[in-house]
Amino acid sequence: MNDSDRLISHVSHDSRPDLSHEHTVETAKARLRAGADLPGATIEQQVALVDQLSAFELGRFLLANRGLDAYWTHRLVTYEPGTLQRGAVSELEYRVFEEMPAVLATRERFGLFRREVQVRLKPGFVLASVPCGLMGDLLLLDYTACADVRLVGVDLDQRALDGARALAAERGLTERLSLRQADAWAMDLNAEADVLTSNGLNIYEPDDERVVALYRKFLDALKPGGQLVTSFLTPPPVLSPESPWDMSAVSTAALALQHVLFVRVIEAKWSAFRTHAQTREQLERAGFTDITFVDDRARMFPTVVARKPD
């Protein structure tokens, strides 16, 4: 098995060169036609969404991959609301970038990560990002008051590492950056990091024991007293009575479209939901202390900060 075959967030660009977009579209339509009507979305309306997704680049990627890679995650979280004009792009593309609750929560989570890391910055710190993707959580920070900070990015996807290297060059941070291709569960940072950020693995991993094992690897990567900044997806109300979602912060129309689009049409792979209590328990089992939650407005994609004991 090569590195790309172990990716859990999306299908490698190189792993299915024989499958055309037309094949992907027809397969999705056949699957949907074999299904059933959903509340607010008939089978034909579901099938029509396949064609609407095919009309823009991100939609085509989601149909083929059922998840986001480093490039598209970076595009979504750094997108400036209002950039796309309704009518200038397809209606579905506009709604995905501007209205989808999960996208808005992801974008807010990205801002929370940067805020939480920025306030913890000190000269000489080592910051790590696992998986780093394009590493915007660290590369877009302000380092003017923090000399000699070193940045470490770990990712299994070589395309992500190439993107991080390019972004570091744009930001004038190439000399501070070290990139390593490795599986997060198999990496060995040997207590190198003062702060470690991680977004995007636990939401694709349904096995709770694997998530605890991942948190233990993060603990090992931190210096004594070092801090982890990570995140998790909380369950929607339809899946759990313990859902913390604040529905007053969510557009019900956008949420209904999101459910049909991501759950039924795309069959998105990011479906490992956990509550605050479950996440606290997993981090404590891994050895973390001083666990603090920083919620996004809808409480869909909370940020959590935890410390490795001294």
Side-chain angles (χ1 to χ4, degrees), residues 91-307:
E91 180 65 10
L92 186 58
E93 181 174 10
Y94 176 86
R95 296 194 70 184
V96 167
F97 276 87
E98 291 279 349
E99 297 179 358
M100 289 292 103
V103 173
L104 299 183
T106 300
R107 194 172 296 144
E108 188 177 355
R109 189 278 316 157
F110 182 66
L112 291 173
F113 263 43
R114 285 183 296 155
R115 187 190 75 187
E116 293 300 318
V117 177
Q118 188 74 59
V119 298
R120 289 169 170 78
L121 274 182
K122 292 182 181 178
F125 260 24
V126 176
L127 309 181
S129 181
V130 186
C132 64
L134 266 61
M135 211 164 165
D137 55 351
L138 300 185
L139 292 173
L140 297 181
L141 298 179
D142 180 2
Y143 293 103
T144 53
C146 292
D148 302 323
V149 168
R150 291 196 299 113
L151 308 174
V152 179
V154 178
D155 206 297
L156 190 58
D157 188 351
Q158 183 59 50
R159 290 174 185 261
L161 298 173
D162 293 342
R165 187 175 292 108
L167 183 59
E170 287 179 26
R171 300 283 296 171
L173 295 170
T174 300
E175 297 303 314
R176 301 189 184 203
L177 181 65
S178 171
L179 295 172
R180 309 175 191 183
Q181 186 174 24
D183 186 306
W185 280 271
M187 68 173 184
D188 190 358
L189 291 185
N190 291 321
E192 290 183 41
D194 294 281
V195 178
L196 186 149
T197 65
S198 180
N199 174 69
L201 277 186
N202 56 10
I203 66 175
Y204 290 97
E205 179 52 71
D207 186 331
D208 287 333
E209 293 306 312
R210 285 261 297 164
V211 171
V212 173
L214 178 66
Y215 292 158
R216 287 189 178 122
K217 292 300 292 186
F218 294 161
L219 189 83
D220 292 342
L222 287 164
K223 297 175 183 176
Q227 292 180 292
L228 170 69
V229 179
T230 189
S231 54
F232 59 103
L233 279 178
T234 57
V238 294
L239 291 184
S240 172
E242 298 179 10
S243 172
W245 286 20
D246 181 354
M247 295 304 294
S248 69
V250 179
S251 162
T252 54
L255 187 62
L257 174 60
Q258 174 178 288
H259 178 77
V260 176
L261 193 66
F262 291 162
V263 176
R264 180 68 180 140
V265 178
I266 295 170
E267 292 189 315
K269 296 167 69 178
W270 64 79
S271 58
F273 302 107
R274 294 178 175 91
T275 64
H276 291 67
Q278 287 173 308
T279 298
R280 178 183 294 278
E281 186 266 341
Q282 289 176 338
L283 286 166
E284 287 176 345
R285 283 179 57 201
F288 284 99
T289 60
D290 299 336
I291 298 164
T292 304
F293 294 98
V294 186
D295 287 325
D296 56 299
R297 284 185 291 271
R299 296 203 291 270
M300 284 185 176
F301 208 167
T303 292
V304 55
V305 181
R307 190 176 69 86

